[in-house]
Amino acid sequence: MRSLIAALLSLLSLPAGAQTLSTSQFRIEWQVTNRFRLFQDQGFFRQHENAWRQYLLHVDQQGMASDERDSFVARTSVIGSEHVLNDRYIAFSNILRKNFDWRGWAARGHDQLCYDSRKRTHSACGGIDAYLNPQAHAVELWLSGKGVAVPATALCEWRIDGRLVAETSCAERVSGPGIELPYPGGAEISVNVVGEPPIIAEARVKDLLIAGLGDSFASGEGNPNLPVAFSETRRFQNLYPERKRNDAGGNARWTDELCHRSLYGQQLRAALQIAVENPQAAVTFLDYSCSGASIDAGILGPQTYVERVANGDNNQMAARPVSGGEKDSQLYRLMRELCAAKPEMRRGIPVCPDNQFRRSIDFLFLSIGGNDIGYIGRLSAAGCNMLAATSFDKEKCPGVPVPTEADYAALTARMDVIAKEIRKRSPEARLVFVDYLTILP
């Protein structure tokens, strides 16, 4: 018995550096640091991840049953995260923020995107090839214990495919230059206490290519990255506040000016949420949504943009609409970036020469059809009628256009065309048709 006790005491007295890690007690954990690759800055992405986790803490305090809680989170995670990021008050409290930025979170990331707003391409992070086909993804590595504490005083060596990338306390998370997983093959991650055998894990990032096509419901119309700033003293005709800068420099700013596309667009927020909730994946997002688009004038062919340009230098500018050229369609812009060579036009539809693509799409979000059947016209007319009931003569309101069965049939046929054209170019892509809000009967 004495010899057994002495042996145990001798083991306990070993220096921390001599401890051997085993898979029965410890696990290698990892996550991609910037999982939404449209953002240049991983810190900007981390804000969204942290906001979501803060929202989950709030939900967990509501006492819901497990199934109810999961369903609620699935429905409300995006809007819940927006409350955390943008509310004037600290989220879910009555405490005012000390450093509140009234412009919203998108203002801080407007100039840190992989979208080149001048070229209107996703090429601002080393070119379109580098964006679509990353060579590696930066990751964060750490150890977790299976019912035991991670030895904080022990010194651990981290390797990726045998290459030493970090040497630090075993309780520390490691990330930074050179700590990345090759894509698409992945790599072997190993960690060991200095001088001891390692534990090993195979790791591979799942990079999802998600593209978005659509109209104002997709683009984020009405919610720019940087909103207009208004004067606190000047008023227009003594009624409404004037802009601080009453010229082009005082305009709202968008990811894409002509399309009024912003970081608040619902397709972008859905793609971002996929990235937030999947720590060992990444999302490469291509966004072509454009306010005012219809199927023929926007998706398949050029459209007249909602943005206006000045005629001359007069600050009170008489604005004119801008129309796209022959190849200025969302489908052409998508194919221009997916095709390995310049796309060719066949019967008015862009195709890749020799069917050669840089990459295939995993998901395609599509929000379209409202402008084809007068959705906005119906909404405006209905709103006018509601106001007229108390404010003015109802006869001044336009009639509410009601689509016919033939209109809906034609719309369905055109949407089938889009689906078939996408299938030809990306047979494995999952098409997600996004419905409109049911505002009108």
Side-chain angles (χ1 to χ4, degrees):
M1 176 63 73
R2 289 181 178 177
S3 62
L4 176 61
I5 294 174
L8 290 173
L9 288 174
S10 66
L11 286 174
L12 291 174
S13 64
L14 284 174
Q19 181 169 350
T20 299
L21 303 178
S22 70
T23 54
S24 63
Q25 291 183 306
F26 300 100
R27 180 189 300 112
I28 292 175
E29 308 277 11
W30 64 275
Q31 67 177 1
V32 181
T33 53
N34 182 10
R35 302 196 289 277
F36 194 63
R37 298 186 57 250
L38 183 67
F39 295 164
Q40 295 182 16
D41 179 16
Q42 71 180 44
F44 190 59
F45 169 78
R46 187 62 64 87
Q47 291 179 20
H48 292 270
E49 183 181 19
N50 292 342
W52 180 62
R53 296 194 183 284
Q54 185 176 340
Y55 177 63
L56 293 184
L57 290 175
H58 169 73
V59 172
D60 288 340
Q61 295 171 359
Q62 306 311 305
M64 301 181 192
S66 178
D67 290 348
E68 180 187 7
R69 182 258 188 203
D70 291 346
S71 175
F72 183 78
V73 167
R75 297 194 316 271
T76 64
S77 280
V78 172
I79 189 64
S81 298
E82 287 289 340
H83 280 300
V84 175
L85 290 164
N86 278 348
D87 277 2
R88 179 66 182 86
Y89 291 82
I90 295 175
F92 319 115
S93 77
N94 295 320
I95 305 172
L96 287 169
R97 295 183 194 269
K98 291 183 178 179
N99 299 308
F100 176 66
D101 186 349
W102 64 270
R103 302 173 306 166
W105 63 260
R108 298 187 291 276
H110 176 77
D111 296 319
Q112 302 180 51
L113 304 177
C114 289
Y115 184 77
D116 187 322
S117 59
R118 184 179 61 84
K119 296 179 180 178
R120 304 185 73 196
T121 59
H122 299 82
S123 59
C125 293
I128 188 61
D129 285 295
Y131 184 63
L132 286 180
N133 294 299
Q135 298 300 303
H137 295 84
V139 293
E140 181 180 39
L141 312 173
W142 70 97
L143 269 178
S144 66
K146 299 178 181 179
V148 297
V150 175
T153 57
L155 193 64
C156 270
E157 296 175 328
W158 288 91
R159 288 178 171 84
I160 296 178
D161 273 348
R163 177 176 56 88
L164 182 66
V165 295
E167 184 175 316
T168 186
S169 164
C170 294
E172 292 292 324
R173 293 184 175 224
V174 297
S175 61
I179 303 179
E180 57 187 26
L181 290 175
Y183 181 80
E188 177 185 273
I189 301 172
S190 66
V191 60
N192 61 276
V193 173
V194 174
E196 298 297 317
I199 59 173
I200 297 170
E202 295 290 335
R204 179 181 297 179
V205 177
K206 174 64 175 177
D207 192 290
L208 297 171
L209 179 58
I210 301 177
L213 307 177
D215 51 24
S216 57
F217 270 72
S219 69
E221 176 63 88
N223 206 354
N225 293 346
L226 280 86
V228 169
F230 289 95
S231 169
E232 296 179 0
T233 57
R234 300 194 311 274
R235 300 217 164 234
F236 175 73
Q237 294 184 353
N238 207 31
L239 294 173
Y240 308 110
E242 289 186 355
R243 301 190 305 176
K244 280 189 175 180
R245 290 189 59 181
N246 199 26
D247 55 25
N251 290 349
R253 297 180 64 189
W254 307 82
T255 303
D256 187 284
E257 300 291 339
L258 290 176
C259 285
H260 284 195
R261 186 188 311 140
S262 87
L263 297 178
Y264 295 112
Q266 49 102 339
Q267 292 183 354
L268 185 146
R269 291 299 280 112
L272 174 55
Q273 191 63 29
I274 291 172
V276 165
E277 295 188 24
N278 292 275
Q280 295 181 351
V283 170
T284 300
F285 187 57
L286 300 172
D287 194 356
Y288 307 96
S289 57
C290 197
S291 294
S294 63
I295 292 176
D296 289 321
I299 302 294
L300 300 176
Q303 72 173 85
T304 298
Y305 293 108
V306 292
E307 183 71 1
R308 299 292 187 261
V309 247
N311 285 324
D313 298 326
N314 186 354
N315 283 345
Q316 304 299 323
M317 48 181 117
R320 61 178 175 82
V322 179
S323 296
E326 178 187 1
K327 297 177 180 178
D328 193 12
S329 69
Q330 292 181 42
L331 186 58
Y332 185 87
R333 291 186 177 279
L334 170 63
M335 300 311 296
R336 182 180 64 174
E337 299 197 306
L338 287 183
C339 292
K342 184 178 179 180
E344 299 173 349
M345 300 298 290
R346 297 178 187 172
R347 295 189 297 275
I349 301 294
V351 297
C352 291
D354 300 322
N355 210 31
Q356 296 297 308
F357 294 84
R358 289 187 172 99
R359 186 176 171 184
S360 296
I361 298 171
D362 294 296
F363 291 90
L364 187 134
F365 297 159
L366 184 62
S367 170
I368 200 68
N371 292 321
D372 296 81
I373 58 171
Y375 182 90
I376 297 301
R378 296 176 66 198
L379 189 63
S380 299
C384 181
N385 286 328
M386 291 175 62
L387 287 172
T390 57
S391 304
F392 54 83
D393 189 353
K394 198 170 185 178
E395 292 183 359
K396 295 181 180 179
C397 293
V400 179
V402 179
T404 64
E405 290 300 320
D407 293 328
Y408 284 114
L411 176 59
T412 301
R414 298 305 287 158
M415 294 184 81
D416 285 342
V417 169
I418 294 177
K420 290 175 181 177
E421 293 299 333
I422 295 298
R423 286 284 182 223
K424 289 178 185 177
R425 290 152 180 77
S426 251
E428 298 179 0
R430 295 181 62 181
L431 272 63
V432 181
F433 287 89
V434 183
D435 202 357
Y436 291 84
L437 296 173
T438 307
I439 298 176
L440 301 174

